[in-house]
Amino acid sequence: MNTSKLMLAVWPAAMALLSTSAVGQGTDNQIDQADELEEIIVLGREISMQSASVKVEEEMLMDTAAALKDLPGGEVNVNGRITGIAQYRGMYGDRVSVTIDGIGMVGGGPNAMDTPLSYISPMITEDLVLERGIPGVASAPESVGGHIDAKLARGSFSDSADFGLAGTLGTRYSGNGSSSTSVGRLTVANGNHKMSLIAEADRADDIDTPEGTIYPSGLSRDRADISYAFAGNNTDFLLFAGMLDTEDAGTPALAMDIALIDTQIYGTRFRTDLTRNFMIDASIGYNDVFHEMDNYSLRTAPDSPMAYRMNTATGSGTNFELATITGLGDSSLRIGLDGKLATHDSLISNPANPMFLVQNFSDVQRDLTGIFAVWQRETNNSDWEIGLRFNEIRTGAGTVDTRGLMGMMGTAADILSTAFNDADRDLQYRNFDVVAKYQRPVFSNAEFHLEIGSKTRAPSYQELYLWLPLQATGGLADGRNYIGNLDLESERSNEINIGLGWSSGNFDISPQVFFKSIDNYIQGVLSDNMTANMLSVMMSGATALEFANVEAEIYGFDLAWKYRVTERVHLDGLVAYARGKRTDIDDNLYRLAPLNASIAVNYVASSWAAKTEIIGYAQQDKVSSFNDEQPSAGYGILNMSAVWSPWQSVRLEARADNLFDRSYQNHMAGVNRVAGSDIPAGTRLYGAGRTLSAGLVITF
Ligand SMILES: [Cu+2]
């Protein structure tokens, strides 16, 4: 399908889908029928029991991560407008694996300012796919909390042997914060070969809320990708090179803002059928990040230049996978080897004091290699999947030092660096994962789904090697200083997930309930390191939290539903709830969304469509006392959007977010850490006020 068809396919597709379940009724085969019935598809969104996806390029967004809120159980922790950290069912950060075209990324920022989803700009994102429930062991090496894959929109192969040119030009503009996203795509392709050049430029100033301006919340981000792809009878091949250039992007929930993120990305994917029953699937990606952040150029600078901080961080590494798939009659066996080899450095300096230097992370390495086997069987009565995985993670860090720290601070830092340098920092983790999935039809119009898994995650490099109390925590944004812990063990999540897909006439619903018990859950606890606490109090007024293994559980449910009122009108919605608590002491887990739901009225005509949605969040008072987490009040907002395609090649878009200009604080929004802002430091950031947007996308 070429891009012009792709952009517009949603209207005819939506029309066709309105009658999907009617088509399904006549099918004899029970499982086929259930397979068709279980899918809940609305404009731009597709939800089944196994996965949920959004066609992100059709949404008017600045951060692709925001599209997760359109998926059952999906959330996003917002530390800045383009630093959305994926959350699924109460887990986030390194617990949720994110891949782009199936390949992982190595982050550069120790505070996750370059989150994986920040590498895939919204107008060049074809799909964002969330694996519902427990990710299979083949999806990603470490994915205790979930797995999300985003697909770049690199255009399509054509139907003919002759080469043709196709492309897209589009721009979207929001009045609030003069925010713009613009895309260009050029694809030269025939049926077998495709060359594609895509680029997106995003710009924005500070955005306004009913309580004042969020300062700083402007941004500048450019993303480009050039690729060659081959599609043969038995072989698919993709080779790409990309770049990301982010500059001056505010992250008011963190202690610093993004000055620069400069990343090169390279990768290749190869898939071939050697025989009818034997296939090879391989991918390798490399990326290299150079990142600078500071606390004085975008936000109100500290009073004393002695408190200016510039942090230069780098991250680079390789993600790879080599797998074989063997067909065995009605089942298949996938056996693979994969890995993620990463290095990280971070240096803190002061432009006003050339003497000042802190080696925050020095020569850090985290190398994972894994092997896995997945057996899948599909019959008329049931689907089975059983997967086993073994991971070995080796980590290491170089020696550290500081320079120019005065008096007692210098003495304390020396004590900590000497202890760190004398410790054994070469660590090794061996982890075994297992996931089993079972699915079968029940009654004539429903399907039952059961998953059981035991999955692991070895500690992150920050959790191990943060030797000086700082806020470099992968984006926790709780305002606390943390120190690492070289004695951490891997965490293990034992999980059960039960789902139902039910369809009756005009109504579809797909609820799931889950329970996970997490052994050795890693989170910050009060530190008994007196030196670290003293230093932390001198720097921030509060003692340090130290990463430790604790016990936790998370349970909840989420569902998607859809009701067809008429051929053209349908209602749909989501409900999600996740409750997380410590089980070794009486406390709640940090930064989980309260009960939330959305309901939308959709109208689809032949050349236009409109949607009105209400999104509601309950209050969240189940907050973490260890992280000084503040409760948040419930709220509801109303959004409206419309698209019109007067011609096949033109798509006009209009959208109003928060139409009634409601003042609200989403629980996942961070707490403001910036002084001299309309929103006081220490207050949870408010959601954007009424935001009117318009867009034009032309395809050829
Ligand atoms: Cu950073």
Side-chain angles (χ1 to χ4, degrees):
M1 200 190 283
N2 71 29
T3 41
S4 61
K5 283 181 197 152
L6 189 84
M7 297 301 274
L8 291 160
V10 59
W11 309 128
M15 291 301 291
L17 290 163
L18 293 175
S19 54
T20 298
S21 82
V23 175
Q25 300 290 358
T27 313
D28 291 337
N29 186 321
Q30 210 179 22
I31 197 160
D32 279 356
Q33 185 182 5
D35 275 349
E36 281 199 47
L37 290 173
E38 87 197 25
E39 300 222 337
I40 295 180
I41 303 174
V42 295
L43 297 183
R45 179 163 85 189
E46 195 168 320
I47 294 163
S48 74
M49 269 195 296
Q50 294 81 17
S51 71
S53 68
V54 191
K55 294 194 187 312
V56 177
E57 63 186 345
E58 289 167 5
E59 307 285 322
M60 299 184 92
L61 297 172
M62 181 57 84
D63 189 350
T64 295
L68 287 168
K69 291 164 99 69
D70 286 339
L71 302 175
E75 270 296 338
V76 55
N77 297 7
V78 178
N79 293 336
R81 287 182 73 192
I82 48 172
T83 58
I85 294 172
Q87 175 166 165
Y88 182 59
R89 292 183 172 176
M91 284 189 164
Y92 48 85
D94 290 325
R95 295 188 176 98
V96 176
S97 132
V98 176
T99 54
I100 300 176
D101 295 307
I103 302 174
M105 290 285 302
V106 175
N111 236 336
M113 284 178 177
D114 61 328
T115 71
L117 288 171
S118 73
Y119 284 104
I120 176 147
S121 307
M123 288 186 89
I124 54 172
T125 302
E126 196 167 299
D127 272 321
L128 184 72
V129 184
L130 168 73
E131 197 171 336
R132 283 189 85 186
I134 308 173
V137 298
S139 298
E142 289 183 312
S143 52
V144 275
H147 175 64
I148 293 156
D149 185 54
K151 191 169 173 230
L152 267 180
R154 293 192 175 96
S156 306
F157 292 95
S158 72
D159 305 332
S160 90
D162 298 328
F163 279 94
L165 183 70
T168 302
L169 273 178
T171 189
R172 290 173 181 152
Y173 181 82
S174 295
N176 192 346
S178 304
S179 309
S180 70
T181 54
S182 301
V183 69
R185 169 172 41 225
L186 215 51
T187 305
V188 178
N190 68 6
N192 298 116
H193 302 275
K194 180 181 75 175
M195 286 203 55
S196 189
L197 178 65
I198 55 180
E200 174 166 339
D202 309 320
R203 299 287 181 274
D205 297 331
D206 293 343
I207 49 166
D208 291 324
T209 77
E211 309 294 326
T213 301
I214 297 181
Y215 165 73
S217 55
L219 61 97
S220 164
R221 177 175 65 180
D222 295 327
R223 176 76 162 88
D225 178 273
I226 185 165
S227 62
Y228 165 76
F230 173 80
N233 286 338
N234 303 314
T235 301
D236 290 326
F237 174 74
L238 169 70
L239 179 68
F240 63 88
M243 57 74 72
L244 173 99
D245 177 18
T246 300
E247 288 176 27
D248 296 338
T251 47
L254 299 173
M256 297 184 180
D257 299 302
I258 299 168
L260 181 72
I261 298 168
D262 183 2
T263 303
Q264 278 83 45
I265 310 162
Y266 309 95
T268 183
R269 238 213 121 90
F270 174 76
R271 215 180 152 98
T272 190
D273 298 325
L274 284 183
T275 70
R276 260 176 61 102
N277 288 316
F278 189 73
M279 192 168 94
I280 290 177
D281 191 357
S283 67
I284 184 164
Y286 172 82
N287 74 283
D288 190 347
V289 189
F290 180 78
H291 169 48
E292 289 177 341
M293 53 183 161
D294 69 57
N295 68 348
Y296 53 85
S297 57
L298 289 187
R299 67 182 60 193
T300 311
D303 291 334
S304 162
M306 286 302 107
Y308 283 24
R309 295 289 179 267
M310 153 71 85
N311 191 333
T312 306
T314 57
S316 65
T318 304
N319 284 269
F320 66 90
E321 180 184 353
L322 175 64
T324 62
I325 299 113
T326 311
L328 308 161
D330 64 359
S331 69
S332 70
L333 182 66
R334 182 181 180 100
I335 294 177
L337 166 76
D338 59 7
K340 182 175 188 127
L341 316 174
T343 62
H344 303 273
D345 278 278
S346 171
L347 210 58
I348 303 171
S349 58
N350 179 350
N353 177 8
M355 273 303 294
F356 181 90
L357 199 71
V358 172
Q359 282 182 301
N360 176 18
F361 294 106
S362 173
D363 281 327
V364 168
Q365 245 181 300
R366 189 183 192 277
D367 293 340
L368 177 150
T369 44
I371 49 170
F372 60 86
V374 181
W375 178 74
Q376 277 179 299
R377 180 162 186 258
E378 287 184 23
T379 70
N380 284 349
N381 302 317
S382 60
D383 295 351
W384 279 96
E385 176 181 321
I386 296 169
L388 303 173
R389 167 182 279 278
F390 175 75
N391 288 336
E392 183 179 83
I393 297 98
R394 288 170 181 267
T395 67
T399 55
V400 292
D401 202 1
T402 64
R403 220 173 54 201
L405 279 169
M406 295 300 169
M408 280 179 58
M409 268 199 187
T411 312
D414 284 347
I415 292 170
L416 293 178
S417 63
T418 304
F420 184 80
N421 293 339
D422 289 346
D424 182 7
R425 300 179 305 277
D426 290 327
L427 305 171
Q428 191 175 339
Y429 302 87
R430 290 183 162 168
N431 293 329
F432 189 69
D433 290 5
V434 55
V435 174
K437 304 188 184 199
Y438 173 71
Q439 185 166 319
R440 60 159 295 170
V442 284
F443 318 116
S444 62
N445 52 3
E447 188 141 313
F448 169 78
H449 189 77
L450 172 68
E451 298 178 340
I452 297 173
S454 181
K455 303 191 74 173
T456 57
R457 177 183 74 95
S460 69
Y461 76 91
Q462 295 96 326
E463 291 162 346
L464 294 170
Y465 297 127
L466 182 57
W467 65 274
L468 186 73
L470 288 171
Q471 296 180 26
T473 57
L476 289 178
D478 59 350
R480 295 293 299 260
N481 286 325
Y482 278 74
I483 56 166
N485 179 349
L486 295 169
D487 297 323
L488 286 178
E489 292 183 39
S490 296
E491 57 186 26
R492 174 174 293 280
S493 173
N494 296 310
E495 182 172 356
I496 181 166
N497 179 48
I498 300 169
L500 200 68
W502 186 71
S503 180
S504 169
N506 293 320
F507 185 67
D508 302 313
I509 189 164
S510 161
Q512 298 197 347
V513 295
F514 65 93
F515 176 84
K516 38 186 147 191
S517 166
I518 309 123
D519 294 333
N520 290 321
Y521 183 81
I522 298 170
Q523 78 152 43
V525 303
L526 296 174
S527 175
D528 55 14
N529 184 324
M530 305 256 289
T531 314
N533 282 333
M534 183 185 74
L535 195 55
S536 181
V537 169
M538 281 194 275
M539 293 190 294
S540 69
T543 56
L545 294 180
E546 180 172 339
F547 288 111
N549 291 115
V550 303
E551 302 296 309
E553 67 185 26
I554 306 176
Y555 55 84
F557 68 93
D558 40 66
L559 62 87
W561 61 269
K562 175 179 161 183
Y563 177 66
R564 284 167 292 272
V565 183
T566 70
E567 271 237 324
R568 294 190 181 282
V569 178
H570 68 265
L571 308 177
D572 72 302
L574 302 175
V575 184
Y577 180 68
R579 171 90 174 91
K581 51 187 175 188
R582 292 268 300 268
T583 50
D584 52 344
I585 61 156
D586 185 20
D587 197 9
N588 302 301
L589 298 187
Y590 169 65
R591 220 174 183 182
L592 265 64
L595 175 69
N596 61 90
S598 66
I599 176 166
V601 185
N602 301 268
Y603 183 88
V604 181
S606 56
S607 67
W608 65 279
K611 175 176 168 178
T612 302
E613 72 176 342
I614 296 170
I615 297 171
Y617 277 77
Q619 63 166 5
Q620 180 60 293
D621 52 11
K622 305 210 168 36
V623 291
S624 162
S625 59
F626 260 95
N627 298 77
D628 304 330
E629 189 181 17
Q630 302 166 18
S632 60
Y635 68 88
I637 57 168
L638 186 131
N639 305 323
M640 292 182 82
S641 63
V643 288
W644 178 41
S645 285
W647 302 281
Q648 275 264 308
S649 57
V650 174
R651 175 184 160 98
L652 287 158
E653 307 164 323
R655 186 173 167 95
D657 285 283
N658 192 7
L659 187 70
F660 296 121
D661 203 30
R662 177 81 205 267
S663 173
Y664 71 96
Q665 292 162 301
N666 183 281
H667 196 76
M668 306 291 106
V671 170
N672 182 38
R673 308 289 172 199
V674 178
S677 173
D678 294 345
I679 298 165
T683 300
R684 190 181 300 282
L685 287 156
Y686 288 84
R690 183 187 302 118
T691 301
L692 304 177
S693 312
L696 169 65
V697 179
I698 297 167
T699 52
F700 56 92

